[in-house]
Amino acid sequence: MHETTRYQSDLLGEHYLCYRHPSGLPIYVFPKKLSTAYALFAADYGASDNILSAEGKPTLPSGVAHFLEHKLFANADGSDSFERFSALGADANAYTSHTRTVYLFSCTDRFDEAFSELLTFVTHPYFTEENVARERGIIAEEIRMCRDNPYERCYYNMLRGMYHTHPVASDVCGTLASVARITPETLYTAYRTFYDLSNMVLAVCGDVAPETVFDLADQLLPKTAKNAPVPRLSNKITPRVYRPRTAAKGVVARPIFSIGIKDTAVPSESAARVRRDACFSVLQEILFGPSGELYQSLTDRGMIAPGLATDYVISRDAAFQQIAGEADDPEAVLGEILAYIEKMRKTGIPQADFERCRRVEYAEYIKSFDSCEEIANTLLSFVMEGATLFEQAEVIRTMRREEVENLLCTCYRPEQITLSVVDPIGKGEK
Amino acid sequence: MNEPVITRFGNGQTLLSLPTDRFKTEYLTVQFATPLDDAAQALTATLAVMERGSTAYPSRLLLSRRLDELYSATLCTCNRKVGDMQVWGFSLDFLARRFTDDTNVLDAALDVLSGVLYHPFAENGAFRAEDTRIVTRELCDAIRAAVNNPRAYALAKCRKLLCADEPYARSLLGEEETFAALTPKALYECYRARVAPQKPFFFYAGAEEPAAVCALLEKHFTAIGDARAPYRAAVRPAGERREGGEQLPVSQGKLVLGFRANVTYGHPLDAALVVLNEIFGGSPASKLFLNVREAMGICYTCFSSLDLYKGVLMAQAGVESAHRAVTEAAMLAQFAAVRAGEITETELNAAKASLAFAYRQSEDDPSLLADIYINRRVAGIAETRTAWRERIAAVTREQIAAVAAMLKLGACYFLDGTLSAGEEEA
């Protein structure tokens, strides 16, 4: 039996275990009796980690983390782990964000074999001139595809509006020019720097025996790790946005917009961060949710298309709110939003609205425990933030209206806000 | 998971249910099937108006707030094609009672749903002008916004080319030009003619006993119609290859190849067609993924998808416009290999394993299961999913080659990206 820490939620009737592998790698298992099991192997390394030493030099070309994610599936015997997963009937994938790279699979059978494959390929890099050159072409097409996605373009312009050239706003895929500079040696350097087991996390959710997971990790992973400090960004985030407006043109029927609101008062302690995250969710539901007056008014007057998307992103490097949608006049929509916030600041948030939205938050929290994929991903996010998965329930239960009002009064200052718009390209325009 | 329990109630109604306490969220849907025809657009608009309020909750705001009170219950519209039918209705998901203050959310949510379906807000034989105006504007915007997603846009264009002059080519949103005819009175007429008289398909997944759910359905659905349109799906082989395309100022072109065969669910080679699609382009172990994307390194997306209710298979790739010809040749070469029976044991086994995975994965998604079971009933398929799974597992290479011989390329659409390299980086 392995020595584990157990986390229990009586509300949900769920629990998960954490085992610390001798290398320092934390391994989380959330037993769940569904048909699909889901496993994630993550490196605390993303697109914004572009320095190789604490001094900040040298730097990596943008897009290296994502390129690595693509190429790690290649094996020294010429096989591809995607094919191996397919042969097992497992569905493998991977993704890169600004702060992490995640390799994953889901399966309904032969978990042990698929899990072994995950552990093996992530810990055995194999890059050659030939396979890297071929991947450049594939990634170039991914970059083009993303560039043609107006929503993604609008999002990145919003990030740059907030953070300018800071790595937290860099393109995850890189650019055609930066990808052309990536070589096998670049990938090995990045791998050696960031893919240390002490800088990684494993998370599994499904109808699996935790001891099996821990045993396989013991058998297949190195027992030791470098445990060297990982170089992190040192350039600070400024409280003001870089520029308040960014405009671009693209193939869209009507303008799409993305409002970014910088949050620079982020607490360092994980419990306080979880609380802030939950409070923002409730605040956004009150201000911009489909049961709110503002949303109804904007849609009924045709100022926005149905489906205003809101989010609060909190990561190790940055935190911000996003409000995105489609509108003929995004500037006017921003004006309406700010006027509504001002009105709410004066009148205060009605207790009934707060309670209704807190109930929505509670229900959404419970609902999120119906999917192994969602559980595993959320678990990963929480533990990489230094938090535990079940503490959110207590936060929602004890949340007070005053906390949410405090965010309302302090977090929408003009210098924190940027508006990114992609306008329709005119006929004959490029 | 077992096949759904079938419970009969009321005046000839049927509930399909999956009694389970595996989920914290429960799911119930009420769906109907009508022919995909000239009224499809009006029906889509009518559903959108109905979602804006009932006599009990006469505005979207009040309706939305009522659902919030019911622990964030979600009311969604369903609207899709199955063969040449339009399958539509509403679904609810809501917290299981054990996570509430013992509120019977199912009872309360059914009250909301039945109000939306059978007591829509109407005055003097017409929906509210304001609701109609908002809905038609939003649907018009949605039609125009299709271009925002070049991949889906190109796919729809190719489908239209492949099945020209058939109902299947029709968009459920319709065309911009015909929105003028959608008046408050016309939509209410559509409601009375198309919605109210239909006999529903009910599906429920959750912890309540089927008999208890039926009792609640009887309580709330007192005005159920009994009309049921016969299933139809025009099935035909592809004709001569049709070409289509247009230019857009985007970086990446989209190549879509449309194939069809007169093979749909119920045909002796239906399972073989499903396995064929998987081998051709349905997974990361497929020929398109390995031999076009991975080996050639000129595209990021290259895959195929199948609509077995229509016998239509679409293969698509996102490529630089300069690589269009070579990509098309490579995709067709992979199809020719399938047709020639050049399928390895590894490919065949991986395809079957992938389909077995998808089958079992669907057990974790009640809304997906509901659509699968309802689609099958709409199309009159009596075979159990277990039997279907066994037939998939038994498909042979010869059967795949046989169905490949029936599959023919009928349309090729290319969305030509006109942005040059310099402009891309700008």
Side-chain angles (χ1 to χ4, degrees):
Chain A
M1 285 291 282
H2 293 78
E3 192 178 320
T4 58
T5 307
R6 182 187 170 98
Y7 300 87
Q8 173 80 35
S9 167
D10 293 334
L11 169 70
L12 296 163
E14 308 276 15
H15 75 278
Y16 64 95
L17 303 171
C18 176
Y19 160 61
R20 179 76 59 174
H21 184 260
S23 63
L25 173 78
I27 305 173
Y28 294 87
V29 181
F30 191 118
K32 182 83 183 165
K33 285 208 177 297
L34 290 177
S35 299
T36 314
Y38 201 85
L40 304 166
F41 200 178
D44 193 355
Y45 165 52
S48 61
D49 296 306
N50 69 339
I51 56 169
L52 290 170
S53 74
E55 292 73 43
K57 294 278 166 85
T59 58
L60 291 163
S62 71
V64 172
H66 172 257
F67 205 121
L68 239 177
E69 171 225 303
H70 269 239
K71 241 18 278 166
L72 213 48
F73 285 88
N75 300 311
D77 63 1
S79 69
D80 185 297
S81 285
F82 265 124
E83 287 178 71
R84 292 186 184 174
F85 280 111
S86 294
L88 297 169
D91 186 23
N93 211 336
Y95 63 85
T96 307
S97 72
H98 280 102
T99 55
R100 74 184 66 135
T101 312
V102 183
Y103 302 87
L104 59 100
F105 74 87
S106 52
C107 69
T108 54
D109 198 13
R110 303 173 75 176
F111 172 85
D112 297 4
E113 292 164 84
F115 187 63
S116 300
E117 180 61 32
L118 178 71
L119 299 188
T120 305
F121 92 80
V122 173
T123 51
H124 290 80
Y126 179 70
F127 313 125
T128 65
E129 289 290 350
E130 194 263 331
N131 74 18
V132 167
R134 197 169 52 233
E135 203 66 27
R136 280 192 207 108
I138 296 172
I139 292 175
E141 285 310 317
E142 187 178 1
I143 290 170
R144 289 191 178 96
M145 184 182 77
C146 294
R147 193 201 176 283
D148 290 341
N149 181 332
Y151 305 98
E152 197 157 323
R153 197 150 162 236
C154 195
Y155 174 77
Y156 273 109
N157 283 348
M158 175 199 75
L159 287 182
R160 284 188 274 270
M162 285 191 286
Y163 302 110
H164 191 204
T165 54
H166 195 287
V168 299
S170 62
D171 279 297
V172 167
C173 294
T175 64
L176 295 177
S178 73
V179 165
R181 296 203 305 276
I182 295 172
T183 65
E185 194 44 48
T186 322
L187 298 180
Y188 277 119
T189 302
Y191 186 88
R192 284 191 293 266
T193 308
F194 296 103
Y195 278 65
D196 191 63
L197 288 178
S198 62
N199 192 45
M200 299 177 77
V201 178
L202 256 174
V204 175
C205 179
D207 191 7
V208 296
E211 278 298 312
T212 305
V213 172
F214 304 146
D215 283 340
L216 285 169
D218 285 345
Q219 287 165 29
L220 295 167
L221 296 176
K223 297 278 184 293
T224 56
K226 283 190 301 185
N227 274 298
V230 171
R232 295 292 186 206
L233 297 170
S234 54
N235 36 346
K236 291 232 164 20
I237 301 277
T238 57
R240 290 172 165 270
V241 296
Y242 165 64
R243 63 178 166 222
R245 300 289 182 273
T246 307
K249 292 206 169 189
V251 180
V252 289
R254 76 194 289 203
I256 62 171
F257 67 89
S258 195
I259 299 166
I261 303 151
K262 257 178 149 173
D263 182 16
T264 50
V266 184
S268 55
E269 201 258 317
S270 69
R273 289 162 73 92
V274 170
R275 193 163 195 96
R276 192 171 182 85
D277 190 354
C279 287
F280 262 120
S281 290
V282 171
L283 177 60
Q284 290 186 328
E285 187 69 29
I286 293 167
L287 294 176
F288 314 119
S291 301
E293 284 170 7
L294 178 68
Y295 178 84
Q296 296 293 336
S297 165
L298 291 173
T299 49
D300 284 357
R301 286 183 288 152
M303 287 189 71
I304 58 168
L308 200 59
T310 59
D311 198 8
Y312 175 66
V313 175
I314 185 165
S315 71
R316 89 167 116 76
D317 299 325
F320 60 89
Q321 292 182 77
Q322 185 197 4
I323 307 161
E326 296 177 24
D328 290 330
D329 188 350
E331 192 70 51
V333 172
L334 177 58
E336 294 266 342
I337 286 172
L338 294 176
Y340 186 69
I341 287 169
E342 196 49 42
K343 180 185 146 205
M344 286 292 263
R345 279 175 176 160
K346 284 182 184 150
T347 60
I349 295 170
Q351 187 67 27
D353 281 2
F354 170 71
E355 291 299 346
R356 177 176 52 78
C357 294
R358 193 164 67 120
R359 177 178 280 220
V360 169
E361 185 69 8
Y362 163 80
E364 296 306 317
Y365 172 74
I366 303 277
K367 287 179 183 180
S368 71
F369 287 89
D370 266 344
S371 151
C372 287
E373 177 177 351
E374 192 164 353
I375 292 169
N377 277 297
T378 311
L379 177 61
L380 188 79
S381 297
F382 272 70
V383 299
M384 289 181 89
E385 270 284 304
T388 59
L389 185 56
F390 298 137
E391 59 191 282
Q392 203 180 350
E394 187 59 12
V395 170
I396 297 167
R397 194 183 70 78
T398 59
M399 192 184 294
R400 289 171 297 112
R401 180 171 58 106
E402 292 72 23
E403 291 178 87
V404 176
E405 277 184 336
N406 183 48
L407 292 181
L408 173 70
C409 293
T410 56
C411 291
Y412 296 91
R413 293 193 306 275
E415 67 272 19
Q416 294 175 294
I417 299 172
T418 190
L419 171 65
S420 162
V421 177
V422 174
D423 284 309
I425 217 160
K427 277 209 167 119
E429 261 188 283
K430 276 189 173 176
Chain B
M1 191 178 275
N2 296 326
E3 294 288 321
V5 175
I6 299 172
T7 312
R8 301 194 195 286
F9 68 98
N11 187 18
Q13 305 302 323
T14 303
L15 169 70
L16 300 181
S17 59
L18 292 172
T20 176
D21 58 3
R22 292 206 304 170
F23 304 111
K24 295 173 170 53
T25 314
E26 304 202 342
Y27 181 81
L28 185 137
T29 185
V30 185
Q31 297 183 22
F32 308 82
T34 49
L36 186 56
D37 57 19
D38 288 343
Q41 181 186 48
L43 179 54
T44 298
T46 301
L47 295 173
V49 169
M50 290 162 68
E51 217 184 357
R52 292 187 57 81
S54 60
T55 51
Y57 303 100
S59 76
R60 196 163 56 166
L61 184 67
L62 293 172
L63 193 63
S64 185
R65 288 193 169 178
R66 175 60 181 148
L67 292 167
D68 282 355
E69 284 168 11
L70 299 175
Y71 292 89
S72 193
T74 311
L75 177 70
C76 288
T77 306
C78 326
N79 196 8
R80 63 183 183 277
K81 296 177 199 172
V82 178
D84 291 332
M85 303 295 284
Q86 185 174 5
V87 177
W88 51 273
F90 295 94
S91 66
L92 284 167
D93 71 59
F94 46 93
L95 279 192
R97 193 193 287 214
R98 63 187 186 277
F99 295 105
T100 71
D101 54 0
D102 207 30
T103 305
N104 189 338
V105 182
L106 174 58
D107 189 7
L110 280 176
D111 181 55
V112 175
L113 172 56
S114 64
V116 166
L117 250 177
Y118 296 113
H119 305 286
F121 195 93
E123 297 162 322
N124 305 318
F127 285 127
R128 279 179 295 212
E130 178 70 354
D131 285 339
T132 305
R133 187 182 61 76
I134 291 168
V135 159
T136 50
R137 185 190 60 221
E138 289 177 353
L139 291 178
C140 256
D141 288 342
I143 290 171
R144 293 183 193 135
V147 76
N148 294 8
N149 182 340
R151 192 160 79 187
Y153 178 80
L155 192 65
K157 290 280 186 178
C158 187
R159 192 183 297 119
K160 207 165 186 174
L161 205 57
L162 183 67
C163 303
D165 307 322
E166 292 178 53
Y168 187 74
R170 193 185 292 275
S171 160
L172 294 176
L173 293 174
E175 307 296 332
E176 266 186 82
E177 299 74 42
T178 46
F179 269 106
L182 303 184
T183 62
K185 198 170 172 52
L187 292 189
Y188 193 66
E189 273 308 307
C190 175
Y191 170 78
R192 289 214 296 211
R194 257 225 176 188
V195 176
Q198 296 301 320
K199 182 176 180 176
F201 295 89
F202 292 106
F203 178 96
Y204 166 77
E208 301 292 335
E209 287 297 322
V213 179
C214 287
L216 289 175
L217 290 172
E218 271 201 274
K219 171 183 161 189
H220 291 289
F221 290 75
T222 53
I224 298 177
D226 58 5
R228 182 99 13 121
Y231 178 67
R232 62 185 200 190
V235 178
R236 62 185 68 154
E240 288 308 303
R241 172 173 161 158
R242 295 172 182 152
E243 297 287 336
E246 66 190 285
Q247 291 192 326
L248 282 179
V250 292
S251 311
Q252 188 182 70
K254 307 288 179 196
L255 174 65
V256 190
L257 304 175
F259 299 81
R260 66 188 300 188
N262 49 354
V263 175
T264 57
Y265 262 124
H267 187 282
L269 290 172
D270 54 1
L273 184 54
V274 172
V275 180
L276 177 151
N277 175 60
E278 207 66 18
I279 291 170
F280 179 44
S283 82
S286 68
K287 287 181 180 291
L288 289 183
F289 189 89
L290 294 177
N291 301 328
V292 180
R293 179 193 133 127
E294 291 291 295
M296 297 174 69
I298 53 173
C299 51
Y300 174 67
T301 54
C302 191
F303 62 95
S304 66
S305 56
L306 173 70
D307 182 348
L308 191 56
Y309 286 99
K310 190 66 183 173
V312 164
L313 186 151
M314 311 292 270
Q316 52 181 314
V319 289
E320 219 179 329
S321 293
H323 293 143
R324 180 232 159 122
V326 69
T327 307
E328 184 182 329
M331 291 168 77
L332 290 175
Q334 296 308 312
F335 181 68
V338 175
R339 211 174 209 185
E342 293 167 17
I343 298 164
T344 65
E345 198 65 21
T346 306
E347 288 174 322
L348 184 60
N349 289 340
K352 289 180 179 178
S354 173
L355 291 165
F357 165 73
Y359 174 90
R360 290 223 49 217
Q361 189 185 35
S362 67
E363 295 170 354
D364 292 342
D365 185 345
S367 66
L368 177 61
L369 281 177
D371 288 355
I372 290 171
Y373 286 122
I374 289 173
N375 288 353
R376 293 164 76 86
R377 288 183 84 82
V378 167
I381 296 160
E383 181 185 43
T384 64
R385 285 191 77 214
T386 310
W388 169 248
R389 184 184 177 184
E390 286 165 0
R391 284 209 294 123
I392 292 277
V395 165
T396 63
R397 218 179 264 108
E398 292 69 33
Q399 288 172 321
I400 295 168
V403 81
M406 299 166 75
L407 202 58
K408 189 180 163 198
L409 179 66
C412 177
Y413 178 87
F414 187 63
L415 193 160
D416 188 3
T418 58
L419 283 190
S420 64
E423 290 159 338
E424 287 172 29
E425 290 280 32

